[in-house]
Amino acid sequence: MSFIPRGFLISISLFFVSLFLFIIGTSHQEITGFDARFYLFAQEMLQDGLNWFPSTYHHPYADYPAAATAIIYFIASLSGGLTKFTAILPSAILAAFVVMLTFQLGNLHNRHWGFCAAIFVLLTHVFFKSARSISLDMYSVFITTLCFYLLYSADKLYKPLRTLWLFPLLLTGFIFRGPIGLVVPAGVMCVYYLIKGDIKKLFVSGSLAFLILLIATSFLLLLALKIGGQAFMHEVLRMEVFGRINNYYLPRYFYFTSSFMHYALAYPVACLMLPGIIYYGYKRKLAEYKFLYLLMGWVLIIMIGMSIPDDKKIRYILPIVPACALIAAYPFHAAASNPYFIFLRTWLRRLFFIVPAIFVILIFASHHLYAIHVADHELMIVFAILQMINVLTIIFIRHIQIREMIFLMQVLICFALSLFIIIEPVELYINRARDFVYAVEEQRKQQNAQLVFYRETADGMPIKYRINQINAGQPRFIADQQLLMQVAEPAMFVTSKEYFISLSQNIAQSLHVIAEDALGHERVMVFIKKQKESLMSKLCIHCFVAGKVQGVWFRATTQEQAKRLGITGWARNLPDGRVEVMACGDKEKLAELHAWLQRGPERAEVKELSYQELPWEEISGFETL
């Protein structure tokens, strides 16, 4: 294998390691949060076939092109079905290529610089999270990084023909991400030529990019006109262009301040590099100062440019990550004659050395202060072993660069394990919706009831509900409470708790709540119109009680209350700290038990109570399991 360049082997290894980290454990995960919208796009494309725009409720959706959804469509068709794995696979592959390209950019100067920069990319939480989700912004990251690599390598390696790929790439960015997918890499390209002082190429490239933007936008609007008429064309124009400019949400400096948290570790460390880069670059003491200035231009043009529109979301500036990572990793390559970078390199190395110990302390604190128990003992043992490996590295390995590579790999392992075992399970639990929707849908099908959303926008909570439906029909949306009583029965209504509470007393008295739970971050109420009492005198309720409810005699006192009320069923502890209760009996008695469960016994602290009504079931006695 001596004929294969070492840089190429490292590059390929980084790609496959990154891809593995991005896809592991995703196949059976629930689709939550912002991913729900894109998952619905893919579901409906699989049902309706390919189209120029994605759809929701079988109507074209104006905010995104359909190209990214079509990629998921083909992968799902070839692999036998749509899962989270098949949905996020394009994002994961693109992100792995970005890691590889980041290494290749640094490798044009120094292999160690490129390797450290690639690890910094992987340690950036927003990037890692986007790689494990359905992220259209990852197309922008990939196109931007590839454009910069072609530009810089064309100059560095004297291969000018590489720049011929730039404009097809800009068009590709538009196809997959819309106008923003072209504007971001085009801005990086223009600032590259500006910093290089090549005004002619700046003018020609900028003009061609603007021409491509105009032609592509015109074609997009013509497609919208053909597919959905003039109203849909105006909606595309509003959502993909003007809607991002005119909506006020956050201040102009939002990206510059919030990135310290969202784009850690790369962004804050890169900011620490700036004084040294500016000073030593001005003194011409950095051999790579032009490259570093180009990277700074890459970051600034995106952050300043995306700060102009009022609609700001942290994911819009995701393409800054590779440039920030390369800047942040520069001390690991800087010459020994620059004491500022030597100082930073020394302290970063010391920080990376103790990271496993820091994770042990954090897990210990979360266990004892916040009662978080997620494989904590096992993780503490693993992190302790990693810390011991770092100690042995200090003792037996004298080569500084090898030490740094080992320390960085240990940091990546700690970061990935904490993400997979602690952060992701907590986020999935907070955003859970699937089990609740399955249970409600089972009841709805038994009653053959139509699904009605009250005061919910079609683009919000109903999407999270809809992606978990099996053989979903077309739901109905009602915004006026007076229309609730006019809906033909049988009907099952879904709305947020806030909207339900705001109903007038007269209407609320004619409704019967059959379930309450969290759908993502929202508390959701499911209700029907009241029926004759004879039909509802006996039923069951299935409850989940969260808070300080284990080790406080919650099950035993629940059993006492149930027996006092003549209710049958059972109560049991769950591994996640909740108590599950199944209770069957008269409706009035169940209401009393439900009220008691909201407060529990004296030593309990009930933080959340979810429940759902079920058909009557004959259960003997009330047991604690």
Side-chain angles (χ1 to χ4, degrees), residues 411-460:
V411 173
L412 179 59
I413 293 171
C414 291
F415 172 75
L417 286 176
S418 63
L419 184 72
F420 298 153
I421 299 175
I422 298 177
I423 298 174
E424 274 193 356
V426 170
E427 289 180 343
L428 288 169
Y429 174 77
I430 292 172
N431 291 289
R432 69 195 185 281
R434 183 167 56 196
D435 292 342
F436 175 63
V437 174
Y438 283 175
V440 172
E441 282 295 293
E442 183 64 29
Q443 274 192 272
R444 189 175 70 85
K445 289 176 181 177
Q446 288 177 2
Q447 300 176 19
N448 194 29
Q450 62 173 315
L451 178 65
V452 182
F453 289 101
Y454 170 64
R455 289 188 62 182
E456 298 293 341
T457 60
D459 198 31

Side-chain angles (χ1 to χ4, degrees), residues 561-569 583-586 589-590 593 621-622:
Q561 293 293 324
K563 289 182 176 179
R564 179 181 66 82
L565 295 167
I567 291 172
T568 61
C584 299
D586 290 336
K589 301 298 183 182
L590 289 174
L593 180 65
F622 195 98

Side-chain angles (χ1 to χ4, degrees), residues 268-285:
V269 175
C271 289
L272 289 175
M273 304 299 125
L274 294 184
I277 292 172
I278 294 170
Y279 175 77
Y280 291 115
Y282 177 76
K283 297 288 187 178
R284 298 295 192 271
K285 291 185 177 181

Side-chain angles (χ1 to χ4, degrees), residues 104-136:
Q104 290 291 1
L105 277 166
N107 191 43
L108 291 172
H109 292 272
N110 178 272
R111 189 181 301 126
H112 188 58
W113 185 3
F115 178 83
C116 294
I119 301 300
F120 267 101
V121 171
L122 289 169
L123 291 174
T124 304
H125 179 251
V126 170
F127 179 87
F128 203 106
K129 186 177 179 180
S130 298
R132 289 174 62 84
S133 62
I134 309 171
S135 174
L136 268 64

